[in-house]
């Protein structure tokens, strides 16, 4: 029974990570109506940046925030340099750009960091909290971070003007444009 309870709780922690990745894909899709096939590679590349900073002696949390900033800058550069010039192209053309970006990021990361598995430190202790042996502090932290991110996203999309505008543009772009919210026409996004 102990092993079953441990596996269920560990599965919840892992499932929270997968749910966060799926949420990121859905948010990008609803904003652009395109599937970013390179999203995982972008996350992998920024994780290698964080690993490099931590390996160089930067403490975990400063490395985390520097990596978030770097990921933001990388995303803006990719959008401005690669995606914006082809945004009026066919969906297939944009998909080819995303797949090309996936291959480029994967190859550059392999070239710089090699293809060997590297261990990444956890910000959470490996010791059980309060003597609970069914779930580690790392797994509990993963569940807590997932729930905190979900709560922040809920508040953002429910109560902020930008979040409400993003929801409106994703659900009904035509009506959103009528009330002054900028959103590309659906025909430009769904052309094949």
């Amino acid at each position: 029974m102990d092993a079953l309870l441990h596996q269920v709780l560990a599965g919840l922690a892992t499932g929270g990570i997968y749910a966060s990745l799926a949420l990121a894909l859905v948010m990008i899709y609803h904003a652009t109506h395109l599937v970013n096939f390179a999203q995982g590679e972008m996350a992998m590349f920024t994780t290698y940046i964080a690993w490099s900073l931590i390996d160089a002696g930067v403490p975990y949390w400063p490395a985390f925030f520097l990596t978030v900033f770097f990921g933001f800058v990388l995303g803006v550069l990719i959008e401005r340099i690669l995606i914006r010039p082809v945004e009026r192209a066919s969906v297939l053309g944009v998909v080819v750009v995303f797949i090309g970006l996936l291959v480029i990021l994967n190859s550059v990361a392999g070239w710089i960091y090699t293809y060997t598995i590297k261990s990444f430190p956890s910000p959470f202790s490996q010791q059980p909290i309060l003597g609970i042996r069914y779930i580690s502090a790392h797994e509990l932290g993963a569940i807590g971070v997932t729930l905190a991110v979900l709560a922040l996203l809920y508040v953002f999309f429910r109560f902020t003007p930008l979040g409400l505008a993003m929801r409106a543009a994703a659900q009904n772009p035509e009506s959103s444009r009528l009330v002054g919210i900028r959103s590309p026409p659906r025909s430009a996004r769904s052309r094949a």
Side-chain angles (χ1 to χ4, degrees):
M1 186 66 181
D2 288 353
L4 174 66
L5 187 57
H6 174 70
Q7 289 299 320
V8 167
L9 294 173
L12 283 174
T14 304
I17 294 168
Y18 287 134
S20 299
L21 294 171
L23 181 63
L25 282 170
V26 168
M27 286 175 58
I28 295 296
Y29 177 77
H30 277 289
T32 63
H33 288 274
L34 297 168
V35 178
N36 183 355
F37 290 100
Q39 193 165 343
E41 303 308 300
M42 293 167 70
M44 175 265 308
F45 200 81
T46 54
T47 303
Y48 271 124
I49 297 296
W51 178 84
S52 297
L53 291 170
I54 291 170
D55 194 48
V58 178
Y60 186 91
W61 292 110
F64 173 81
F65 289 112
L66 282 170
T67 303
V68 168
F69 176 74
F70 175 78
F72 175 77
V73 170
L74 179 67
V76 168
L77 289 173
I78 287 171
E79 194 274 334
R80 298 289 178 179
I81 296 169
L82 295 176
I83 306 304
R84 187 160 292 191
V86 296
E87 72 181 346
R88 299 279 184 217
S90 67
V91 173
L92 185 59
V94 178
V95 166
V96 168
V97 170
F98 281 133
I99 291 174
L101 182 61
L102 177 149
V103 171
I104 289 168
L105 287 174
N106 193 337
S107 299
V108 169
W111 177 54
I112 295 172
Y113 298 104
T114 70
Y115 290 99
T116 58
I117 296 173
K118 304 197 182 339
S119 62
F120 195 87
S122 172
F124 307 107
S125 169
Q126 294 300 324
Q127 302 302 320
I129 294 179
L130 303 173
I132 302 172
R133 66 179 191 264
Y134 302 115
I135 188 166
S136 70
H138 177 77
E139 293 164 343
L140 197 58
I143 293 170
V145 167
T146 301
L147 292 175
V149 167
L150 289 176
L152 287 171
L153 285 173
Y154 174 78
V155 168
F156 173 74
F157 283 118
R158 181 72 185 216
F159 299 111
T160 65
L162 178 60
L164 291 170
M166 288 174 68
R167 282 178 52 199
Q171 290 177 1
N172 196 336
E174 291 81 15
S175 297
S176 300
R177 280 193 305 281
L178 289 174
V179 296
I181 298 171
R182 288 182 18 187
S183 65
R186 190 173 293 273
S187 61
R189 289 184 279 176
S190 60
R191 258 187 312 169

